[in-house]
């Protein structure tokens, strides 16, 4: 009898599903919620999915609904979800000095976004070190603001929670006001630390590996790292400038110039899968809302703690389109030629991503959600962004399940989910005769 064995993609998908179920079960315990009342399992499952998929969409305010135990469960889910459960499992194996098998190495490739199997354990170690340094440093800096205002114990807890949430691009907060960081929009220290942590987590572990290995010698970096870094910087600067120009006389009107610039920069950063806000998203102009759609769709880098279609994937599509417009067969960048298989994979990944997003948006619209709100919520869910226009807690039951599934697909990868549930078909020995069709 043939033994059934999950492949790497299936292991990743099933692992995240089990993580969500376990988190949901823990959040239903009476001592996870304030007042000792158990949270309904569908609501607990939604919260666990949002935390594990580092999204940040919530049905309840985290600070007022959950006890320290419940908050700790959410924080643990965010950390495991941000790093990937196999990365955390590998950390345990390293600490116990156990051998990391070939199958686990294959799963790690998908988790941390490695390009090859060799050196995957070394890359994982570096990813864990970078995470510890970023989150630890961020928590210490945030403690300078939180501890004087909330006391030593609560201030340290809030500092650690927000540092992990920001680095993992999760967007959960403990301020208890229900408006994320809007009340802290004028606090430079908190805003700058949160922005830096979001960017650090969103770059991806391959970029950090190049930075630690080659330093500022940009020429020796991998092509992947060059694309992610350059396009991330361009999107950050372009998005920040656009938000400032569009909202200075609208949502930012009446505020000091320095605070307007900081809020514009924060909006540009958080739109790419972070979930924290310093301005009410429903108050943004139509032009800024459209820009938000674009930034949420792009997301962070592959192999990072963020989601989205991925900045490097969108960059490949744009470069490919420009090459076609110039009638060039090859896509060249930084004196390298992109592999044709990479371009095909980018088109396939984005196609699956868009179809899943539009299908979810359609269900929300059928249930009475306005199109702009439904599209915003769908892009936010599948991009694991966590931003909302205030409709998450009022969604009908079916829409909540759809949003949950989109968060799951967005974190694991819509293409990965499709590959996990379909049967592998070996390449036939004989290939069909090719024939051209009209395109465009």
């Amino acid at each position: 009898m043939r033994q059934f064995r999950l492949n790497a993609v299936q292991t990743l998908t099933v692992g995240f599903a089990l993580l969500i179920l376990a988190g949901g079960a823990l959040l239903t315990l009476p001592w996870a919620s304030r007042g000792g009342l158990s949270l309904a399992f569908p609501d607990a499952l939604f919260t666990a999915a949002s935390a594990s998929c580092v999204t940040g969409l919530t049905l309840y305010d985290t600070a007022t609904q959950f006890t320290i135990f419940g908050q700790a469960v959410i924080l643990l889910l965010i950390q495991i979800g941000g790093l990937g459960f196999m990365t955390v499992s590998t950390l345990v194996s390293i600490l116990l000095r156990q051998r990391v098998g070939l199958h686990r190495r294959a799963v790690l490739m998908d988790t941390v976004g490695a390009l090859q199997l060799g050196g995957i354990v070394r890359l994982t170690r570096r990813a864990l070190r970078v995470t510890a340094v970023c989150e630890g440093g961020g928590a210490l800096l945030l403690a300078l603001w939180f501890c004087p205002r909330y006391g030593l114990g609560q201030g340290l807890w809030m500092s650690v929670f927000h540092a992990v949430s920001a680095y993992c691009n999760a967007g959960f907060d403990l301020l208890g006001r229900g408006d994320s960081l809007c009340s802290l929009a004028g606090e430079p220290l908190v805003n700058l630390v949160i922005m830096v942590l979001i960017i650090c987590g969103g770059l991806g572990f391959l970029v950090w590996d190049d930075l630690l290995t080659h330093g500022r010698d940009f020429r020796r970096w991998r092509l992947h790292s060059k694309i992610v870094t350059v396009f991330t910087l361009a999107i950050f600067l372009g998005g920040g400038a656009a938000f400032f120009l569009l909202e200075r006389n609208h949502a930012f009107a009446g505020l000091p110039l320095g605070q307007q610039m900081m809020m514009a920069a924060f909006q540009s950063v958080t739109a790419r899968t972070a979930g924290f806000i310093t301005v009410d998203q429903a108050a943004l102009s139509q032009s800024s809302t459209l820009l938000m759609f674009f930034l949420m769709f792009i997301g962070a880098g592959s192999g990072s703690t963020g989601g989205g279609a991925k900045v490097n994937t969108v960059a490949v599509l744009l470069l490919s389109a420009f090459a076609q417009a110039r009638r060039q067969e090859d896509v060249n960048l930084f004196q390298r030629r992109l592999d044709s298989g990479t371009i095909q994979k980018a088109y396939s990944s984005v196609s699956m991503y868009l179809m899943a997003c539009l299908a979810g948006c359609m269900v929300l619209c059928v249930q009475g959600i306005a199109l702009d709100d439904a599209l915003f919520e769908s892009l936010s869910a599948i991009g694991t962004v966590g931003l909302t226009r205030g409709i998450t807690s009022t969604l009908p039951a079916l829409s909540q399940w759809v949003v949950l599934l989109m968060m799951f697909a967005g974190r694991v990868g819509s293409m990965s989910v499709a590959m996990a549930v379909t049967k592998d078909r070996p390449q036939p020995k004989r290939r069909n005769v090719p024939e051209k069709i009209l395109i465009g």
Side-chain angles (χ1 to χ4, degrees):
M1 183 177 178
R2 187 177 177 182
Q3 186 177 5
F4 177 75
R5 183 181 177 86
L6 297 176
N7 59 36
V9 176
Q10 290 171 332
T11 301
L12 190 64
T13 305
V14 172
F16 263 102
L18 293 176
L19 177 65
I20 292 170
L21 288 173
L26 289 174
L27 291 177
T28 59
L29 297 175
W31 51 85
S33 296
R34 297 187 185 277
L37 297 177
S38 298
L39 196 65
F41 183 70
D43 294 346
L45 196 66
F46 187 97
T47 304
S50 183
S52 302
C53 300
V54 290
T55 305
L57 293 175
T58 57
L59 302 176
Y60 302 95
D61 181 73
T62 307
T64 56
Q65 171 64 35
F66 297 102
T67 61
I68 293 296
F69 173 80
Q71 294 170 13
V73 170
I74 291 174
L75 185 64
L76 183 63
L77 293 174
I78 290 172
Q79 187 72 88
I80 296 175
L83 292 177
F85 74 95
M86 285 305 298
T87 305
V88 178
S89 172
T90 302
L91 171 62
V92 175
S93 297
I94 292 173
L95 293 175
L96 297 177
R97 297 186 178 182
Q98 295 177 346
R99 183 177 176 273
V100 180
L102 188 62
H103 180 68
R104 182 179 292 183
R105 291 171 186 262
V107 181
L108 278 173
M109 281 186 63
D110 292 315
T111 302
V112 300
L115 297 174
Q116 58 188 22
L117 198 60
I120 185 64
V121 176
R122 180 189 65 84
L123 178 61
T124 303
R125 284 197 183 102
R126 279 195 164 180
L128 292 169
R129 291 194 192 104
V130 168
T131 299
V133 171
C134 289
E135 292 179 351
L140 289 175
L141 290 173
L142 289 175
L144 298 176
W145 192 91
F146 281 109
C147 287
R149 291 164 176 80
Y150 291 90
L152 182 61
Q154 187 179 359
L156 286 175
W157 172 243
M158 294 182 71
S159 300
V160 171
F161 190 97
H162 288 95
V164 173
S165 183
Y167 179 78
C168 292
N169 283 221
F172 282 81
D173 73 272
L174 294 181
L175 296 177
R177 297 183 177 93
D179 59 357
S180 189
L181 305 183
C182 288
S183 59
L184 308 182
E187 300 291 341
L189 177 62
V190 176
N191 280 259
L192 291 175
V193 172
I194 295 294
M195 280 194 287
V196 170
L197 287 172
I198 291 170
I199 293 172
C200 289
L203 286 175
F205 301 128
L206 273 184
V207 177
W208 279 106
D209 184 58
D210 272 331
L211 185 61
L212 294 175
T213 302
H214 304 298
R216 290 180 294 179
D217 191 355
F218 189 74
R219 295 173 298 177
R220 300 179 63 187
W221 287 18
R222 299 177 181 91
L223 180 59
H224 168 87
S225 300
K226 293 177 180 178
I227 291 176
V228 170
T229 305
V230 171
F231 276 83
T232 296
L233 180 61
I235 292 170
F236 165 63
L237 294 176
F243 280 123
F244 175 75
L245 294 174
L246 292 171
E247 299 300 325
R248 59 177 180 164
N249 296 320
H250 192 69
F252 302 160
L255 299 174
L257 178 62
Q259 184 173 339
Q260 287 186 348
M261 295 176 65
M262 187 166 60
M263 292 174 70
F266 195 96
Q267 189 70 16
S268 180
V269 171
T270 196
R272 299 180 47 243
T273 84
F276 292 105
I277 60 170
T278 55
V279 62
D280 183 9
Q281 302 303 288
L284 295 176
S285 64
Q286 292 293 310
S287 299
S288 289
T289 301
L290 185 60
L291 178 58
M292 287 292 297
F293 290 161
F294 180 64
L295 293 178
M296 289 193 295
F297 168 76
I298 294 175
S302 294
S304 72
T305 61
K310 301 298 188 295
V311 61
N312 44 294
T313 303
V314 175
V316 168
L317 296 185
L318 293 175
L319 292 169
S320 176
F322 290 150
Q324 288 289 331
R326 293 193 296 266
R327 294 176 174 81
Q328 295 177 342
E329 292 185 4
D330 296 334
V331 179
N332 299 297
L333 187 67
F334 297 116
Q335 299 181 335
R336 290 291 186 271
R337 175 173 59 86
L338 284 176
D339 176 64
S340 58
T342 300
I343 299 173
Q344 183 179 2
K345 185 177 180 180
Y347 278 106
S348 301
S349 177
V350 170
S351 297
M352 294 293 294
Y353 184 92
L354 282 174
M355 285 191 291
C357 178
L358 292 177
C361 179
M362 187 176 297
V363 174
L364 266 63
C365 288
V366 168
Q367 292 217 287
I369 308 299
L371 177 59
D372 54 347
D373 289 337
L375 185 57
F376 194 100
E377 198 82 2
S378 298
L379 280 169
S380 180
I382 200 167
T384 69
V385 181
L387 298 177
T388 181
R389 290 161 64 91
I391 68 169
T392 305
S393 58
T394 62
L395 289 174
L398 177 60
S399 293
Q400 288 184 12
W401 282 103
V402 170
V403 169
L404 188 155
L405 291 174
M406 284 194 289
M407 290 191 293
F408 180 77
R411 183 60 186 132
V412 178
S414 51
M415 179 61 74
S416 296
V417 173
M419 292 171 62
V421 298
T422 54
K423 186 177 180 180
D424 292 337
R425 290 176 178 262
Q427 183 70 28
K429 295 181 179 180
R430 291 190 301 174
R431 303 171 68 184
N432 294 328
V433 177
E435 183 174 347
K436 293 183 177 180
I437 65 171
L438 290 176
I439 297 293

